[in-house]
Amino acid sequence: TRLVSDWSSDVCSSDLIPSEANMFMMNVKRPGKDFYEQMAKHKVYIGRVWPVWPTWVRVTVGTREEMAKFREACVQCYAA
C-alpha cells in the first residue's frame, strides 16, 4: 500500500481502494476493458474487470521496476 500511495496522487486523480494484499482496485472512470487494452499496448497487463464495477480495474502490485513501468503507462493511458 505504501508503494501505491507514494505515487498514486500524481499518477491520476483516480479513486483507489487500498488493500493489505498485493493488489488494489482503481477507478479509471471509463470502461475498464478499454483501459486494460490501452495498458496492454504498453506491454503492461492489469487484472480483470468485474461486471458490477465496470469502470474499476484490479492492479497487482509488482516490483519497484514493474510499478514504475505501470506508472508511466498509467499516466499516458489515463489521460487518453
Side-chain angles (χ1 to χ4, degrees), residues 7-27:
W7 56 261
S8 62
S9 62
D10 64 355
V11 169
C12 53
S13 59
S14 181
D15 299 322
L16 299 177
I17 298 176
S19 171
E20 295 297 321
N22 68 335
M23 53 77 70
F24 60 93
M25 298 297 294
M26 179 176 162
N27 184 356

Side-chain angles (χ1 to χ4, degrees), residues 25 36 46-50 56-58:
M25 298 297 294
Y36 173 90
I46 58 175
R48 64 189 173 106
V49 177
W50 284 268
W56 290 77
V57 296
R58 180 190 188 278

